[in-house]
Amino acid sequence: MFGRSAWLGASVLAVVCLALVGPSAPRREPFVRALPADAATAVVPGRVMTWNLCNPCGARNVDRAAEMATYAPQVIGLQEACVRDVQSIRGHLENLFGLRYHVAYGPVVHSWGRCGGFPWSPGGYGQAVLSAAPMTDRVTVEYPDGGSEDRGYMAVTTLVGGQSVRVFNTHLAERRQEQVRADQTRVLAIEIARHHRAIVLGDFNAVPSAPELTPIWALATDASPRCRPSSFAGCEPTTDWHSKFDYVFLRGITPIAHHVQPTPYSDHDPLYTDLKMRGD
């Protein structure tokens, strides 16, 4: 009887421990795919990327890191990011690909079920920014109304192409929550307007012609010169459902090139642009 009770107790304890650790716990990731022959060999100055990692989607952090290393942006804005996963990705970028990034986190949700940790100390979930240059003046703001899930934006100041710039990273309310997103963009636009030079990254969950993006379009342009709210036929889709939801909005900055890169590791494609930075 004692042996059976001990076995049952150990089994229950193992199940509880598995639940507490959560789906984003560190795990062995032994296989590293080779980067393409034309992959960047070092961080590319003036290149910025936005990518919704898709959580939960089950992609390996080593594969996410390889995707970022292929293009090696100077600044990367991530959405649907668990702090634990970003820590792992950042480690892979340095240890496997020789790319060193500073990191700033902007979680607005804490969930052990989604991001691991413990019920009394859950993992952070939201946005994160990786930057090759140090970052200062980080702020994290939760929108007054997040819709079906708490949402917000973060902002940092860093160097992009040798120029100081304010970088915003956001994730707006889910689809079919237009009025909530309209309220969110008004909050965000007030802060963007404070800076004559800004980069706004993120998943806006809205197509270019959506009315809720009007406050952003009034202050900034899309990195793709062909993508405008009145002529969005030139806007490349960034999602598996063939819609453009992801943006690199620019204020006081000129784009040189714009790319959407299909990926099997998320339901959103990485979007990056190379920038020509203007002097003061």
Side-chain angles (χ1 to χ4, degrees):
M1 286 295 291
F2 175 79
R4 184 172 182 272
S5 298
W7 180 85
L8 288 173
S11 299
V12 170
L13 180 60
V15 171
V16 170
C17 289
L18 181 61
L20 292 179
V21 170
S24 294
R27 54 189 181 276
R28 295 182 64 190
E29 298 176 329
F31 174 74
V32 182
R33 64 183 176 88
L35 299 186
D38 59 349
T41 57
V43 168
V44 180
R47 176 171 291 177
V48 299
M49 171 189 282
T50 184
W51 193 16
N52 182 315
L53 294 180
C54 183
N55 184 301
C57 279
R60 301 191 314 161
N61 288 327
V62 70
D63 291 326
R64 292 164 166 169
E67 197 81 345
M68 299 175 204
T70 298
Y71 315 108
Q74 191 172 15
V75 172
I76 307 171
L78 301 174
Q79 304 88 44
E80 295 197 23
C82 289
V83 170
R84 291 158 61 94
D85 287 333
V86 176
Q87 290 171 338
S88 174
I89 290 167
R90 184 174 173 234
H92 290 319
L93 284 168
E94 180 172 359
N95 298 327
L96 300 177
F97 305 108
L99 301 173
R100 299 186 65 181
Y101 287 97
H102 302 267
V103 63
Y105 299 105
V108 294
V109 176
H110 294 271
S111 170
W112 69 271
R114 171 175 262 165
C115 289
F118 300 93
W120 56 90
S121 182
Y125 171 79
Q127 287 78 248
V129 172
L130 299 177
S131 175
M135 291 174 279
T136 60
D137 304 320
R138 181 186 67 86
V139 299
T140 299
V141 176
E142 185 175 337
Y143 292 123
D145 183 0
S148 56
E149 178 181 80
D150 292 341
R151 296 286 165 91
Y153 74 85
M154 63 178 297
V156 298
T157 298
T158 190
L159 293 179
V160 179
Q163 297 290 328
S164 178
V165 62
R166 193 66 170 165
V167 176
F168 294 84
N169 183 19
T170 191
H171 189 190
L172 299 190
E174 295 177 351
R175 288 179 288 176
R176 293 180 291 278
Q177 299 181 50
E178 293 84 355
Q179 186 54 55
V180 175
R181 289 196 299 275
D183 294 339
Q184 293 171 347
T185 55
R186 282 192 287 269
V187 171
L188 180 60
I190 291 172
E191 295 305 314
I192 296 171
R194 300 181 190 274
H195 304 273
H196 72 280
R197 184 164 48 213
I199 300 170
V200 187
L201 310 171
D203 174 5
F204 285 74
N205 271 317
V207 297
S209 60
E212 59 264 35
L213 294 188
T214 300
I216 308 299
W217 284 115
L219 296 169
T221 58
D222 187 77
S224 171
R226 298 185 301 158
C227 184
R228 297 292 181 267
S230 59
S231 59
F232 56 90
C235 302
E236 294 181 75
T238 63
T239 66
D240 286 355
W241 48 95
H242 308 295
S243 295
K244 177 177 172 64
F245 280 3
D246 305 273
Y247 296 83
V248 175
F249 282 114
L250 303 173
R251 177 173 170 83
I253 300 170
T254 302
I256 299 173
H258 174 82
H259 306 272
V260 177
Q261 300 296 334
T263 181
Y265 305 117
S266 173
D267 56 359
H268 289 249
D269 295 327
L271 183 160
Y272 74 87
T273 187
D274 295 319
L275 306 174
K276 179 180 179 181
M277 303 300 296
R278 302 172 185 168
D280 290 319

